[in-house]
Amino acid sequence: MSQAIIYVNKNDADSIPKQAININIEDELSKETLLTSIAKAGDFPAYFGHNWDALWDCLTDSRIKYLQLDLADIEKINTEDFNMFKSIVEDAYRDFGQPQLWVIG
């Protein structure tokens, strides 16, 4: 398991750092919902391009150390988009030591 991504269940959610930024996804996890939600939660700049490269840029230029994503109640997950998101988080973590993504499942 990567140090960049930590999976926990609802019962262990209290182990997530308190300063973790919650990526609020309502019903469907997709590229669009991920990028929109993380941009809002992370207070990304207005010039954020809502694409994967822009996400990497903003994550590595920010002070975000921890992200939290609750998948327990999400009805539909685009696995290709989710895997790309995780890959970007892992790359940023490998290069800069942050952020860590805490996934509740």
Side-chain angles (χ1 to χ4, degrees), residues 35-97:
L35 294 175
T36 299
S37 297
I38 196 168
K40 183 176 180 181
D43 197 26
F44 286 0
Y47 60 80
F48 175 63
H50 290 272
N51 59 60
W52 296 127
D53 289 335
L55 174 63
W56 191 89
D57 290 341
C58 283
L59 285 177
T60 58
D61 287 344
S62 75
R63 297 178 191 247
I64 298 172
K65 293 188 180 209
Y66 307 105
L67 297 167
Q68 173 182 323
L69 178 61
D70 189 345
L71 299 180
D73 297 323
I74 295 178
E75 296 175 14
K76 183 177 178 185
I77 297 175
N78 180 314
T79 54
E80 184 178 331
D81 291 345
F82 184 48
N83 288 336
M84 178 59 79
F85 174 67
K86 292 188 300 183
S87 176
I88 290 167
V89 170
E90 287 173 337
D91 286 348
Y93 186 85
R94 183 177 44 252
D95 292 348
F96 295 93

Side-chain angles (χ1 to χ4, degrees), residues 1-9 15-17 66-67 69 93 100-105:
M1 175 169 36
S2 167
Q3 292 179 335
I5 302 173
I6 297 128
Y7 293 89
V8 296
N9 61 42
S15 66
I16 298 171
Y66 307 105
L67 297 167
L69 178 61
Y93 186 85
Q100 279 186 318
L101 172 63
W102 293 74
V103 179
I104 303 169

